[in-house]
Amino acid sequence: MEEIILEYSNELLSSAIILTVVVILRFLTNKAVRKVGSISDLNEARTRLVIKYISFGFTALAIVALVLIWGVNIKELGLILSSIFAVIGVALFAQWSILSNVTAGIILFFSFPFKIGDRIQIMDKDLETSGNYVIEDIRAYHIHLRKDNGQLVTYPNNLILQKAVCVISDEIIENEGSDAV
C-alpha cells in the first residue's frame, strides 16, 4: 500500500486539490445562486433547479480534470467518448427543444424579467387563447399560466424568450376597473 501511495503521490495530491477546489466552488456558487434567488424573491424550486445544473457542470469538470491528472490513455478514452457523444448528439438534435427550454429556464432565472404572481400578456399571434395570464409557476421546460377564466396554459420557456411579453401592473388593472364604473 505504501508503494502505491509513493508511486502515485503527485496524482493523489493533485486529485485531492481538484476535489477540494470543486467542493469549495460548488459551495460558493450555491450560496451565490441562493442569494440571487432570495434577493429577487424567486421560487425556491427554481433556485434548487439552477443549483442542480451548476453542480452537474462542476462534477463534469472535475471528472475531466481527474482523467487528465491520472493520464488515462486519450486514444482509448476518445474512442469511447466519441461513440457516446455521437449517440447523445443524435438524441439531443432530435430533442433540441428540450435543451433550448432548459437553457431558457436558466436565462429566465438569472434575468428575472417577470416572476411568479405577475400578470402578463404574450404578444403571440399563434397563441389560440390570447389575453392576460397570471404566472403560477416557472419550471425547467415551461411556464404555467392561469387565465382569468381559470384555464391553465403551459407555455414553453424558449417561446417566452422569443415573443414579446408585457408585464401588466396592478395599477393598470385597477384603473380599468374604475373606468368601467
Side-chain angles (χ1 to χ4, degrees):
M1 182 69 169
E2 290 178 26
E3 294 172 6
I4 294 173
I5 292 174
L6 289 174
E7 185 177 344
Y8 295 108
S9 62
N10 289 339
E11 289 87 353
L12 290 171
L13 181 62
S14 299
S15 297
I17 291 170
I18 290 292
L19 293 176
T20 304
V21 167
V22 166
V23 167
I24 291 171
L25 284 175
R26 277 180 60 186
F27 174 76
L28 293 174
T29 306
N30 290 351
K31 196 170 184 177
V33 169
R34 286 189 192 280
K35 188 165 190 151
V36 167
S38 67
I39 288 172
S40 304
D41 195 28
L42 297 174
N43 188 350
E44 180 65 26
R46 285 182 66 198
T47 304
R48 284 193 309 264
L49 186 66
V50 170
I51 287 172
K52 266 189 214 178
Y53 294 152
I54 292 171
S55 294
F56 178 77
F58 277 131
T59 303
L61 286 175
I63 289 171
V64 168
L66 290 174
V67 164
L68 293 174
I69 288 171
W70 284 91
V72 175
N73 189 347
I74 300 298
K75 289 183 180 179
E76 292 175 10
L77 185 64
L79 178 65
I80 293 170
L81 290 178
S82 65
S83 300
I84 290 172
F85 285 134
V87 171
I88 291 173
V90 169
L92 287 179
F93 181 74
Q95 295 297 325
W96 68 269
S97 64
I98 291 175
L99 186 60
S100 67
N101 282 322
V102 169
T103 305
I106 292 173
I107 292 170
L108 287 174
F109 177 80
F110 285 109
S111 67
F112 42 87
F114 35 79
K115 60 184 184 220
I116 294 173
D118 283 352
R119 182 174 292 279
I120 63 169
Q121 183 177 14
I122 302 171
M123 306 299 177
D124 185 3
K125 64 179 181 179
D126 297 329
L127 188 61
E128 292 179 13
T129 56
S130 62
N132 297 338
Y133 301 95
V134 175
I135 300 175
E136 281 195 354
D137 196 8
I138 302 175
R139 304 260 172 127
Y141 305 110
H142 55 272
I143 295 180
H144 286 175
L145 304 170
R146 180 79 58 185
K147 284 190 60 90
D148 292 333
N149 64 6
Q151 180 183 15
L152 180 67
V153 177
T154 58
Y155 200 73
N157 285 340
N158 62 348
L159 289 181
I160 204 87
L161 288 179
Q162 294 175 11
K163 304 294 180 181
V165 176
C166 294
V167 178
I168 302 170
S169 70
D170 292 331
E171 296 172 4
I172 295 173
I173 295 170
E174 290 173 7
N175 288 340
E176 287 177 358
S178 64
D179 290 343
V181 175

